[in-house]
Amino acid sequence: MENVDRSSLSRGALIVFEGLDRSGKTSQSARLVSFLKEKGVPVEAWRFPDRSTRVGQMISAYLANESQLDDRTIHLLFSANRWEKRVQMESKLRSGTSLVVDRYSYSGVAFSSAKGLDIDWCKAPEVGLIAPDLVLFLDVPPERAAERGGYGTERYEQLEFQKKVAQYYSMLRDPTWEIVDGCLTVEGIEEKLRGLVSECIDTCQKGKPVTNLWPSK
Ligand code: NYM
Ligand code: MG
């Protein structure tokens, strides 16, 4: 990056949590966000699906089995739900706010591919969304995740399906991924995440261009 004033590229970091249902993403992301806030880091907690929008409400009804949708249609709705947030996401990052996001495009591709849709077809609508700076994958074997207080009643929350999702997740790994052992203690996981995240936030603060999906392997 010659002749580039890196200070003009100073921004917040896009940090994404991924993992199977019941892998601990939601509680670890909440803990991480409180930790960062206490340190005075400008940060917001986001999640996908974002059920607050019109598109998000359609997704929520589908997940609750209150509506039926064709597999490709629901896939594109999940993607649209990220696209409708893209502008806001970029402006937050550029204004210096880091985002900790519970699920992103990797969930989109892994869950839809596990239903039998072609993986490249699933990736296509995600192209052009902002690429995460760090993907924290909480690695928990499907059997262990299933034991954790059981699944809810939403679609996809079944052991056999989650095993397939795990296989597709493993095909999506790229250099932005950090695989964290999700079977460690809550505090042990938290400690590891804090280290990884602080480094990432520092790098983005010093100046790093915003790039789009998908990163090269
Ligand atoms: N899910 C989530 C998808 O199938 N595609 C996506 O793009 C995203 C973001 O929705 N089982 C699935 C994964 C979950 C379900 O997510 C609801 P959560 O984190 O339980 O609200
Ligand atoms: Mg869930």
Side-chain angles (χ1 to χ4, degrees):
M1 286 228 307
E2 286 160 38
N3 304 323
V4 174
D5 175 9
R6 296 194 77 95
S7 63
S8 68
L9 300 172
S10 176
R11 61 172 177 88
L14 178 57
I15 297 156
V16 166
F17 273 87
E18 287 286 3
L20 298 179
D21 285 291
R22 311 291 298 152
S23 60
K25 297 179 302 304
T26 307
S27 45
Q28 285 293 344
S29 56
R31 282 170 168 260
L32 180 64
V33 169
S34 345
F35 166 75
L36 293 171
K37 281 187 174 162
E38 274 166 34
K39 283 213 319 179
V41 175
V43 64
E44 284 183 16
W46 284 31
R47 70 178 307 156
F48 289 108
D50 177 338
R51 302 185 193 219
S52 70
T53 70
R54 299 276 295 272
V55 173
Q57 284 157 20
M58 290 174 72
I59 293 171
S60 198
Y62 171 82
L63 290 170
N65 283 300
E66 288 160 7
S67 71
Q68 309 301 322
L69 289 169
D70 165 77
D71 289 344
R72 288 181 178 78
T73 308
I74 182 64
H75 180 76
L76 295 173
L77 287 178
F78 272 114
S79 185
N81 188 228
R82 286 181 279 280
W83 276 103
E84 64 183 341
K85 292 291 195 175
R86 193 195 180 290
V87 169
Q88 194 188 352
M89 184 178 261
E90 183 162 354
S91 68
K92 290 273 176 195
L93 295 173
R94 291 200 187 280
S95 73
T97 301
S98 289
L99 303 176
V100 172
V101 187
D102 187 352
R103 295 192 185 281
Y104 196 56
S105 301
Y106 307 95
S107 285
V109 176
F111 279 78
S112 291
S113 301
K115 290 166 143 180
L117 296 182
D118 177 71
I119 190 165
D120 289 323
W121 188 90
C122 291
K123 284 171 119 176
E126 307 296 319
V127 172
L129 288 171
I130 301 175
D133 297 293
L134 178 62
V135 177
L136 299 166
F137 184 80
L138 296 188
D139 195 16
V140 177
E143 294 79 4
R144 290 287 299 275
E147 286 162 9
R148 292 183 170 180
Y151 293 125
T153 54
E154 289 205 326
R155 255 181 235 263
Y156 308 146
E157 296 184 353
Q158 291 151 12
L159 179 56
E160 288 313 307
F161 187 75
Q162 299 278 325
K163 286 183 187 169
K164 286 189 199 154
V165 174
Q167 287 171 359
Y168 283 98
Y169 262 133
S170 66
M171 292 180 218
L172 294 172
R173 294 180 184 188
D174 66 45
T176 63
W177 283 46
E178 290 289 344
I179 313 295
V180 177
D181 182 354
C183 294
L184 300 174
T185 61
V186 170
E187 293 76 18
I189 297 169
E190 191 174 25
E191 200 55 39
K192 281 193 193 291
L193 296 177
R194 287 177 178 184
L196 294 167
V197 163
S198 302
E199 199 184 311
C200 172
I201 290 178
D202 277 356
T203 307
C204 293
Q205 210 241 324
K206 283 180 188 139
K208 187 180 171 202
V210 171
T211 58
N212 291 333
L213 288 176
W214 293 88
S216 47
K217 296 234 174 189

